[in-house]
Amino acid sequence: MIILNTTYYIHESIDADFRKWVSEIYFPSAINIGGLERPMLAKILTDTQEGMSGYAVQLSADNKEIAELWHDNHAADLRGELSKLFGDKVLFFTTYMETINP
């Protein structure tokens, strides 16, 4: 199982709007294309820059190809829209992770 994790650092002034965007736009879009599941939004509790909040946005996929297809195409378009909406009030980076059994 592959976990696609995008970490977002956002200005506190857009916190509610960002969370709404994730739940109403980002996650439904991901689920509707198929191959992605288990959407999760988690608040990052470690200290961030003053006035900023951190969030981890995660989706699961059966394989890396599905995750990359989403990230490089559909999600890229959505992140572009997010940047247009909020400009420099949002920063993000993505990590692919593979679950393993200990």
Side-chain angles (χ1 to χ4, degrees):
M1 178 73 55
I2 301 298
I3 299 170
L4 176 64
N5 180 87
T6 303
T7 301
Y8 290 88
Y9 288 101
I10 61 163
H11 191 270
E12 290 175 345
S13 66
I14 65 164
D15 192 273
D17 292 329
F18 171 77
R19 286 184 285 119
K20 183 177 179 180
W21 176 83
V22 169
S23 65
E24 294 181 4
I25 305 295
Y26 191 85
F27 283 151
S29 180
I31 299 305
N32 287 338
I33 69 152
L36 298 168
E37 55 187 24
R38 298 186 192 132
M40 185 181 75
L41 174 64
K43 185 166 178 77
I44 297 171
L45 299 179
T46 54
D47 290 336
T48 60
Q49 184 178 5
E50 187 174 332
M52 301 291 283
S53 297
Y55 288 96
V57 175
Q58 294 186 346
L59 295 158
S60 296
D62 287 336
N63 58 60
K64 190 175 178 196
E65 291 76 23
I66 292 170
E68 287 176 333
L69 181 65
W70 159 256
H71 178 267
D72 295 346
N73 295 291
H74 306 289
D77 293 340
L78 290 172
R79 289 189 308 272
E81 290 176 21
L82 182 68
S83 292
K84 286 179 187 175
L85 283 172
F86 301 121
D88 63 357
K89 292 183 179 181
V90 61
L91 304 169
F92 50 84
F93 63 92
T94 300
T95 307
Y96 296 93
M97 301 177 284
E98 182 177 22
T99 58
I100 56 172
N101 294 322

